[in-house]
Amino acid sequence: MFRSRLRRRGGTAVALLAAASLMVTLSGCGVDPLTPQEAREEAGSDNKPGGEGRRVDCAKTKCIALTFDAGPGKDTPKLLDILKEKQVPATFFLLGSKHVDRYPKVVKRIADEGHEVANHTWTHRILTDLDAAEVREELARTQDAVERITGRKPTLMRPPQGRTDDTVSEVSKELGLAQILWSITAKDYSTNDSALIEQRVLDQAHGDGIILLHDIYDGTVPAVPPIIDELKRRGFTFVTVPELLAPGKAEPGTVYRPEKD
């Protein structure tokens, strides 16, 4: 069993994403996260395919993955403009209800512009509080909605508040979804201060890191350009989550989380 513990928080809007600032709980026996480095090493040792045509080799390059949760929202088009201008790929963990179904053109644009489209459930229910059928509904509805828009089902998901267990892992495996956690968070749900969001990310940045931000909060998108510029200056290369794991492939049901340096 994983060592960390996550306490459930109350509230409404804050509770939706508050646990992004916390260590996650992997509460089920047998749920053991892999790091990106371990995913790459396992692929290499097993001589698995998947490295052909890679844009970057994260075993040799200081990579970092920029990810956004709980969108798309009203500011996502502006964010996509920024990413396009700066030639940075990102991974978007999309929320179904009132997001994917409200902004289908934005979802299609995310996919068309080469970003990774991923699953963040339908209504952001805490999956470890649900039975298998309820977990399946939360994930499958978003899978189907994204497929209708983009022609492709996601292969990655992020459990709300990072909470997962054996049941969540089993259903994720059934649906073809790997579970992606994070190692860098700006707690952008708690502030609209873009400079503070920027500083929090930069203070935590590390190789093989996964940055968690939310493109639904007013302070977040304005913080993205200086974050990108400074991390590039420090020698980081931005990648999607699948690129971070390559030549490893995100295995359905498996939990991935980087370790901080």
Side-chain angles (χ1 to χ4, degrees):
M1 184 179 294
F2 196 66
R3 294 188 296 272
S4 302
R5 274 329 236 180
L6 176 66
R7 298 181 183 276
R8 187 179 181 189
R9 297 191 174 184
T12 53
V14 172
L16 180 68
L17 297 158
S21 65
L22 305 176
M23 294 292 288
V24 293
T25 282
L26 302 175
S27 57
C29 296
V31 178
D32 189 15
L34 288 179
T35 67
Q37 179 181 355
E38 289 169 336
R40 295 192 298 263
E41 289 175 350
E42 284 193 1
S45 63
D46 292 340
N47 294 315
K48 294 180 180 178
E52 303 86 353
R54 271 186 290 158
R55 186 176 62 87
V56 60
D57 184 351
C58 291
K60 300 176 181 177
T61 303
K62 188 164 67 170
C63 293
I64 197 164
L66 187 57
T67 74
F68 297 92
D69 278 15
K74 63 179 177 61
D75 295 329
T76 306
K78 175 61 177 175
L79 173 60
L80 291 170
D81 291 343
I82 292 167
L83 297 175
K84 186 174 183 179
E85 176 189 350
K86 296 187 177 293
Q87 299 182 7
V88 166
T91 302
F92 287 82
F93 291 90
L94 302 183
L95 200 58
S97 178
K98 300 181 182 179
H99 294 273
V100 169
D101 59 359
R102 184 173 291 176
Y103 300 100
K105 292 182 180 178
V106 179
V107 174
K108 189 171 190 310
R109 182 182 168 190
I110 291 170
D112 288 348
E113 295 187 359
H115 303 290
E116 187 72 20
V117 180
N119 189 328
H120 196 44
T121 74
W122 188 253
T123 63
H124 207 273
R125 296 181 72 187
I126 305 306
L127 298 181
T128 52
D129 292 343
L130 308 180
D131 63 28
E134 292 170 320
V135 172
R136 189 175 297 108
E137 181 178 8
E138 278 289 312
L139 294 173
R141 287 189 70 181
T142 303
Q143 290 289 89
D144 293 342
V146 169
E147 184 182 31
R148 284 194 296 270
I149 295 166
T150 68
R152 177 178 175 268
K153 287 186 178 181
T155 60
L156 310 177
M157 78 84 141
R158 178 168 283 158
Q161 297 188 359
R163 292 192 177 199
T164 189
D165 59 17
D166 286 340
T167 298
V168 176
S169 295
E170 288 165 7
V171 174
S172 297
K173 183 175 182 179
E174 172 192 324
L175 296 176
L177 290 164
Q179 303 177 74
I180 308 298
L181 305 183
W182 62 88
S183 58
I184 302 161
T185 178
K187 305 180 184 179
D188 53 351
Y189 59 85
S190 66
T191 180
N192 286 327
D193 185 338
S194 297
L196 179 59
I197 292 168
E198 173 193 353
Q199 193 59 52
R200 286 173 172 172
V201 171
L202 296 178
D203 286 347
Q204 299 173 64
H206 63 93
D208 273 356
I210 296 178
I211 301 168
L212 168 60
L213 292 170
H214 305 88
D215 46 327
I216 59 172
Y217 296 124
D218 290 343
T220 300
V221 172
V224 171
I227 288 171
I228 290 173
D229 291 345
E230 175 59 20
L231 291 180
K232 283 185 174 181
R233 189 192 69 78
R234 294 183 188 181
F236 285 93
T237 296
F238 286 92
V239 294
T240 63
V241 169
E243 288 177 320
L244 189 65
L245 304 180
K249 186 176 180 181
E251 297 293 339
T254 301
V255 178
Y256 296 89
R257 192 188 76 178
E259 290 181 352
K260 294 184 179 181
D261 293 341

